[in-house]
Amino acid sequence: MTQRKESEVIDTEVLVVGAGPVGLSLAGDLGWRGHSCIIVERGDGLIYQPKMDQVGIRTMEFCRRWGIVADVEASPYNRDYPQDNIYVTSLNGWELGREFFPSMRTDQPPPYSPQKRERCPQNMFDPILRKFAESHESVQLKLRHKLVALTQDDQGVTATVQDLEHDREVTIRARYVVGCDGGRSRVREQLGIIMSGRGLLTYTTNVIFRCENFDALHHTKPGYRYIFLGPEGTWGTLVAINGRDQWRMSLIGNAQENKTYTEDELKAFAWRAMGKPFELEILSILPWQRYELVADTYRKGRCFLAGDSCHLTSPTGGLGMNTGIGDAVDLGWKLSAMLEGWGGPKLLDSYEIERRPVAQRIVNISTKNLQLMKSPGKNDKLLEDSEEGRATRERVGKSFSEAMKREWFLMNVHLGYRYIDSPVVVYEPEDPEQLAREAAETANYEPTTQPGRRAPHAWLADGRSTHDLFGKTYVLVDTGAQGADEREAALLNAATTRAVPMQVARWPEPAIAGLYQTRYVLVRPDDTVAWRGDRLPQDTAALLATVTGH
């Protein structure tokens, strides 16, 4: 059957392909900045198998910026449910170790952020992001629309899109296109970009099941995640999807064998996890693969990649979606700058330079976390009710508990990343000791205004966070008590002349002055430090040109 073609060409500033959390975040950010955006999504927008459940602390800072924290906190997840990570032979067997964490209701933000991580699975989080994106009149979501082809020219991109619902072709003309369409990205395929890395890590099968009285069926004190160890090693995990009656069981395979399980076989695994048979209702089954891959480039011309379309990682650590939303935030303000006419060509060049090394670090860390989760290996005596079995369980539990701390404590990964070699950041001479600390990848996060880093959070006297002033504009932070000088006036005048959004924040409080380390800190719209110094340079126009990509 020949498809009908729609004669009208639809114009938009940015076309986003894919309406997962990354695409919705990017579209929402662009709409929040006042720009037109169309999202095309080949699916129906429903989440049948949530692939993530942790909204990381940095992502929650972005949610605070967008005004949707209350929506996340009001999600259907049971905020009183325990969040411990527990290592067991079965839920009615032996507990080998436990990492204690507070519930979402009792947890508090750390001193270096106005927010904390949240438990909000994708079937709850995506609708929040969709509501945020569609709250802007300039954003349109087109479900059941499949990208067919892309062509570029000097002025923009023409996309051919198939409207699956009405069996017709639609043409969309955009200034820029961003592929947020996952590991099998059609945008990446159209651009001819390949991915490199270790490739396939494991075949895995996820099972979502419902059981009303699950916690009453076992003697293990409840927690968020259970990791199951048997004589053969680590074989599966179980996660509380909603903190009530839904659970996600993951069967950890290997890269050599792609198994397909029947429902009876999957129920048998659930019974093994419980330690006895019980009634459960299987809601969905998802075979999937873990990969360690990063795209060789994030951009071709006016087309970009973000999220899983340019980095695929094991979910061990919960870093995949959160890294993708970091991509969206980095790219969103830069596209906005180009659309508004004040951004220079190096600004878009900086997207890949800044974000690709972050992805490379993330996939490496996530693979190491997977290796640690599988580290116990074979222990033939693990289930023996004997002195040798007890000694084996004590040894395995102690070593495994210590190894898993690497995955549970990742604050420096979430907040301590640094953009290196960016053309829109003014760097300082490197400190060898600082470089050595960075290479060590410690779990501890140390706030700093080192250029290329996330600007520190502090509470202001009026109850706001320093981060509450960032997002829409550049912010020149002045922690001195002397007031404005002629160089500051020159910088603001240059910004006005070039239509660069900029404001000054005067925070002379001693605590903030100490935290921000120099009198002046220039913060970009993505909270990243672009420059710092005790006095502005004489050529403030040159500084402005650098940080805006000219």
Side-chain angles (χ1 to χ4, degrees):
M1 182 170 58
T2 304
Q3 290 182 341
R4 291 179 291 129
K5 292 191 176 182
E6 192 174 272
S7 58
E8 180 185 6
V9 176
I10 303 173
D11 288 308
T12 189
E13 290 181 306
V14 181
L15 171 63
V16 175
V17 182
V22 176
L24 292 169
S25 294
L26 177 58
D29 189 72
L30 288 166
W32 182 70
R33 296 180 187 281
H35 296 291
S36 65
C37 176
I38 293 175
I39 321 168
V40 294
E41 165 60 49
R42 65 182 298 169
D44 58 11
L46 299 178
I47 306 299
Y48 300 97
Q49 173 91 224
K51 298 177 183 178
M52 54 67 57
D53 45 56
Q54 176 176 282
V55 183
I57 188 170
R58 185 67 172 130
T59 301
M60 286 306 301
E61 291 180 348
F62 301 142
C63 290
R64 182 185 181 94
R65 167 189 296 183
W66 297 327
I68 60 174
V69 167
D71 291 333
V72 176
E73 294 176 344
S75 75
Y77 190 89
N78 180 2
R79 296 178 65 75
D80 293 313
Y81 198 79
Q83 293 297 296
D84 296 353
N85 293 289
I86 310 161
Y87 324 128
V88 294
T89 58
S90 75
L91 293 172
N92 282 297
W94 286 282
E95 182 172 315
L96 306 176
R98 177 184 294 257
E99 198 69 52
F100 294 92
F101 288 96
S103 70
M104 292 296 101
R105 192 178 305 280
T106 59
D107 198 9
Q108 297 295 318
Y112 32 76
S113 177
Q115 297 298 143
K116 58 183 176 65
R117 71 184 180 96
E118 295 289 347
R119 192 69 64 196
C120 187
Q122 187 179 0
N123 57 325
M124 304 176 190
F125 191 49
D126 275 19
I128 294 170
L129 294 174
R130 176 175 172 177
K131 175 185 172 185
F132 166 61
E134 292 188 312
S135 70
H136 305 103
E137 291 184 1
S138 59
V139 175
Q140 300 178 56
L141 173 60
K142 294 182 177 292
L143 299 174
R144 301 285 292 148
H145 280 66
K146 173 185 173 183
L147 176 70
V148 176
L150 293 170
T151 57
Q152 297 192 59
D153 55 50
D154 291 341
Q155 302 302 314
V157 187
T158 301
T160 302
V161 175
Q162 182 182 358
D163 180 347
L164 301 173
E165 194 71 29
H166 301 97
D167 188 31
R168 64 182 179 182
E169 272 191 3
V170 179
T171 300
I172 299 176
R173 178 70 177 170
R175 294 273 300 278
Y176 300 98
V177 170
V178 185
C180 305
D181 49 342
R184 298 179 179 179
S185 170
R186 176 65 175 167
V187 174
R188 189 182 68 235
E189 178 185 281
Q190 284 282 298
L191 299 177
I193 295 173
I194 63 173
M195 303 184 84
S196 301
R198 297 190 189 188
L200 179 67
L201 300 175
T202 71
Y203 291 101
T204 301
T205 300
N206 282 2
V207 183
I208 304 288
F209 67 83
R210 179 186 288 122
C211 179
E212 293 286 347
N213 61 340
F214 186 84
D215 285 335
L217 300 176
H218 62 81
H219 63 236
T220 302
K221 182 181 176 182
Y224 155 70
R225 183 194 302 270
Y226 305 95
I227 299 179
F228 297 97
L229 280 67
E232 75 274 37
T234 306
W235 64 268
T237 66
L238 191 68
V239 166
I241 282 293
N242 62 2
R244 291 184 174 84
D245 63 346
Q246 291 186 28
W247 303 83
R248 182 181 68 227
M249 179 175 66
S250 297
L251 305 178
I252 304 166
N254 54 50
Q256 290 73 46
E257 197 172 10
N258 186 9
K259 293 186 177 180
T260 300
Y261 299 102
T262 65
E263 284 205 10
D264 286 342
E265 289 173 322
L266 294 172
K267 285 183 178 180
F269 278 112
W271 291 354
R272 180 184 180 187
M274 178 63 76
K276 65 180 182 181
F278 69 101
E279 291 295 322
L280 68 149
E281 177 190 2
I282 292 180
L283 302 178
S284 64
I285 302 168
L286 178 67
W288 58 283
Q289 299 83 41
R290 300 173 197 258
Y291 288 97
E292 183 188 314
L293 292 169
V294 177
D296 289 357
T297 182
Y298 279 24
R299 174 194 183 190
K300 282 202 173 178
R302 291 176 171 268
C303 297
F304 299 81
L305 302 175
D308 285 357
S309 68
C310 55
H311 45 77
L312 290 171
T313 181
S314 171
T316 37
L319 301 171
M321 180 207 73
N322 293 290
T323 303
I325 291 180
D327 297 341
V329 170
D330 185 274
L331 186 56
W333 76 271
K334 293 173 180 177
L335 290 175
S336 176
M338 302 305 293
L339 293 168
E340 291 169 10
W342 56 265
K346 293 179 182 178
L347 199 58
L348 292 184
D349 292 340
S350 73
Y351 169 62
E352 177 182 325
I353 294 169
E354 293 180 353
R355 294 302 300 175
R356 190 168 181 273
V358 171
Q360 290 175 316
R361 182 187 182 202
I362 291 299
V363 299
N364 290 335
I365 289 172
S366 299
T367 298
K368 289 176 183 177
N369 288 341
L370 173 64
Q371 293 167 344
L372 290 171
M373 187 169 70
K374 299 177 73 173
S375 64
K378 292 184 178 181
N379 290 279
D380 294 336
K381 307 294 184 180
L382 187 72
L383 302 183
E384 281 192 4
D385 189 7
S386 64
E387 182 60 29
E388 190 173 359
R390 185 200 62 78
T392 299
R393 288 188 290 276
E394 183 176 353
R395 172 181 55 80
V396 171
K398 184 177 180 180
S399 62
F400 191 64
S401 296
E402 188 61 32
M404 291 305 295
K405 290 182 185 293
R406 181 186 176 99
E407 178 171 345
W408 309 142
F409 299 101
L410 292 169
M411 192 62 69
N412 195 42
V413 176
H414 285 280
L415 300 182
Y417 58 87
R418 180 187 176 201
Y419 296 150
I420 299 175
D421 297 328
S422 174
V424 294
V425 173
V426 181
Y427 294 99
E428 302 166 345
E430 296 289 357
D431 175 2
E433 292 185 3
Q434 175 69 26
L435 290 174
R437 286 195 296 270
E438 291 175 17
E441 286 188 356
T442 61
N444 298 322
Y445 168 68
E446 297 180 10
T448 177
T449 54
Q450 183 185 33
R453 299 278 191 186
R454 162 190 172 273
H457 149 78
W459 292 113
L460 302 172
D462 60 7
R464 292 180 299 168
S465 165
T466 51
H467 277 219
D468 292 338
L469 278 77
F470 306 148
K472 285 280 181 76
T473 72
Y474 286 87
V475 177
L476 180 65
V477 175
D478 179 4
T479 61
Q482 303 94 321
D485 61 17
E486 70 282 357
R487 293 188 182 181
E488 180 183 314
L491 177 62
L492 294 175
N493 183 62
T496 300
T497 300
R498 296 186 178 182
V500 177
M502 183 177 292
Q503 59 180 314
V504 177
R506 302 199 191 281
W507 297 329
E509 296 94 331
I512 297 180
L515 183 65
Y516 270 67
Q517 300 172 308
T518 59
R519 176 182 172 180
Y520 288 110
V521 177
L522 184 59
V523 182
R524 308 187 324 192
D526 61 345
D527 310 338
T528 300
V529 175
W531 169 91
R532 68 176 179 178
D534 287 318
R535 191 176 186 194
L536 285 162
Q538 186 170 355
D539 191 348
T540 55
L543 170 62
L544 186 67
T546 297
V547 300
T548 56
H550 289 278

